[in-house]
Amino acid sequence: MNTATRNPLEAVAINAGDPFCLSKQKHENIRKLVQASHRSFMDVDGVLPWQDGIDLSLPPKSDNTSWIYGTPYWDALGESERRELLWKETARDVSMFIWLEQTLPPLYVGYVNTYHERLSPEIYEYLMIFPKEEVIHTLMFRRYMKLAGLNLFAPPSGPYAALLAKLPTLHPAIGILWTLTIEWAAELVAMSSTQDEGIEPLTRKMFHAHHVEEIRHITFGRRIVEGFFNSASHEDQAIVREQFRPVLNNFIGLLTFNPEIAAHLSFPFPANVNDPDVVRSIRTSPNNAMLNARRFTEQRDWFVELGLSQ
C-alpha cells in the first residue's frame, strides 16, 4: 500500500488476544443486553398495525423540528407545503436508518468471522444478535416508506462512503464508534421530533418500537468504545480522536439540513440550496442551534468525556 495515502486509522493496533479488552463489569452489561434481546424482539408483521395505513394529512413530526422552522423560508410556505416538507424530512431520516442498518450486518458478522476465537461468549452472541435486529429494522422501514409513498434519499457519498468501505479493515472499535455515532444521533433526532400528541400514529409507533431495540444497540456501542479508550495506547487514542472530530462536526451539519430535499419536493424549495451561505444559515439558525443543543446533550457529553469532542 502507498503509505502516502494510508488512512491514519489503519495504524491503530488490535490486541492479539481479545480485540475489545472490556472490564468484567462491561462484559456483564453486555450479557444483560443479550438476555433482554432474547426476551423482547421485533417481527415485521406484528410490530405495527400496518392495516391501519398512514394518514398523510397528519404531520409525521412536530412543526418546530422542521429543518427550516424559525427561518424566513418556513414563513414563505403555505400549510400544505409545510406538511409535505415534514414528510420529506422524515423520508430522509428513515432513509438514513435504512442505508446504515443494511450496512451493519456484513460489518458485524465480519467481526465475528475474523475474531470468533478471541471473543467472549457474550460479545460473540451480541455481535450476532445486532445484525439480526438491524435486518428487521431495515425491512420495517422499507415497508413504511412504501406504504407512505415516500422515495429514498441517496446513500452517503464522498468521505462518508469511503470511510464506511474502509471500516472492515480497521480496529473493530473504530467501526463500532462510527456506526454508533450515526445511529445514536439519528435516534435522538427521531425521538425528539415524533413522539408528541398529534403526530401521525403509525409513524409515532414505528419510531418508538425502533427505539426500544436501538437503546440496546447504543448501550453496546458505548461499552465497546469505552473499553477501547480504557485499554488502547495513548498514541492510538490520539489517532482516533484526531480523525473523528472533523467527521463528527460535518455529520451534525448534514443531519441538521440535507440540501437533497429540494429534489424531493413537488414545489420549489424556498431557498437556493446550491448556495453554501444559505445552507450554513439554515444549519446554524437559532431554532436549529436550540434543537441540537437540547437533543444531542447526552451524546455530546459522552463525546467530551472521551475526548472525541470539545
Side-chain angles (χ1 to χ4, degrees):
M1 179 180 291
N2 183 348
T3 56
T5 60
R6 191 173 185 232
N7 188 318
L9 292 172
E10 295 179 73
V12 175
I14 301 174
N15 189 285
D18 181 350
F20 295 111
C21 302
L22 300 189
S23 67
K24 182 178 179 179
Q25 181 58 53
K26 285 184 169 55
H27 277 288
E28 178 63 16
N29 293 155
I30 293 174
R31 189 184 66 81
K32 291 179 180 179
L33 293 178
V34 169
Q35 293 176 330
S37 298
H38 288 316
R39 286 196 304 267
S40 173
F41 51 88
M42 179 189 297
D43 75 88
V44 177
D45 282 339
V47 66
L48 293 171
W50 299 107
Q51 69 281 0
D52 292 348
I54 297 174
D55 188 348
L56 296 174
S57 71
L58 295 175
K61 57 188 287 191
S62 303
D63 284 3
N64 63 358
T65 64
S66 168
W67 303 346
I68 63 170
Y69 184 86
T71 73
Y73 311 126
W74 174 266
D75 297 337
L77 299 179
E79 186 61 33
S80 64
E81 293 170 330
R82 291 175 178 176
R83 185 61 42 80
E84 180 183 341
L85 176 71
L86 295 177
W87 277 103
K88 298 304 169 59
E89 290 179 6
T90 301
R92 193 293 304 266
D93 292 347
V94 175
S95 298
M96 186 164 57
F97 279 123
I98 289 172
W99 293 126
L100 175 65
E101 295 189 346
Q102 68 186 30
T103 300
L104 289 177
L107 179 65
Y108 280 40
V109 173
Y111 293 151
V112 170
N113 290 335
T114 300
Y115 304 107
H116 62 97
E117 294 181 349
R118 297 153 60 184
L119 299 175
S120 68
E122 57 272 7
I123 291 181
Y124 175 95
E125 190 161 0
Y126 201 75
L127 283 172
M128 295 295 285
I129 291 170
F130 200 122
K132 179 201 74 169
E133 293 180 344
E134 296 293 39
V135 168
I136 299 300
H137 297 170
T138 301
L139 293 173
M140 175 186 71
F141 283 130
R142 284 188 173 274
R143 183 179 293 191
Y144 173 84
M145 293 287 279
K146 182 177 181 180
L147 190 61
L150 297 171
N151 293 323
L152 282 169
F153 277 60
S157 59
Y160 296 99
L163 180 56
L164 286 173
K166 179 66 68 175
L167 289 182
T169 69
L170 305 177
H171 192 299
I174 295 173
I176 291 172
L177 169 62
W178 176 239
T179 55
L180 165 67
T181 298
I182 301 174
E183 277 201 304
W184 193 0
E187 182 67 11
L188 291 169
V189 169
M191 289 302 290
S192 67
S193 60
T194 65
Q195 299 304 298
D196 292 340
E197 290 295 325
I199 300 303
E200 199 285 317
L202 193 135
T203 303
R204 185 175 69 247
K205 291 174 183 176
M206 179 186 69
F207 281 116
H208 185 270
H210 179 253
H211 177 71
V212 171
E213 293 191 344
E214 206 69 4
I215 284 296
R216 298 198 292 261
H217 296 184
I218 291 166
T219 301
F220 173 76
R222 290 179 65 172
R223 299 296 88 83
I224 293 293
V225 174
E226 289 161 1
F228 171 83
F229 281 101
N230 285 335
S231 61
S233 69
H234 292 301
E235 293 78 9
D236 284 348
Q237 291 183 43
I239 290 172
V240 173
R241 290 180 177 119
E242 182 180 353
Q243 294 296 308
F244 183 80
R245 285 171 184 155
V247 172
L248 174 62
N249 291 336
N250 291 336
F251 172 67
I252 294 300
L254 184 60
L255 192 64
T256 304
F257 175 71
N258 186 338
E260 185 190 341
I261 195 168
H264 288 256
L265 298 169
S266 66
F267 56 90
F269 190 79
N272 179 9
V273 297
N274 295 314
D275 185 340
D277 289 335
V278 170
V279 172
R280 191 178 306 109
S281 72
I282 293 173
R283 289 175 174 170
T284 60
S285 73
N287 189 63
N288 280 329
M290 180 271 295
L291 287 176
N292 287 345
R294 184 178 65 198
R295 60 193 176 192
F296 296 132
T297 297
E298 181 184 10
Q299 187 183 42
R300 184 176 57 251
D301 289 349
W302 184 75
F303 285 146
V304 170
E305 181 181 337
L306 295 182
L308 292 164
S309 184
Q310 296 175 337

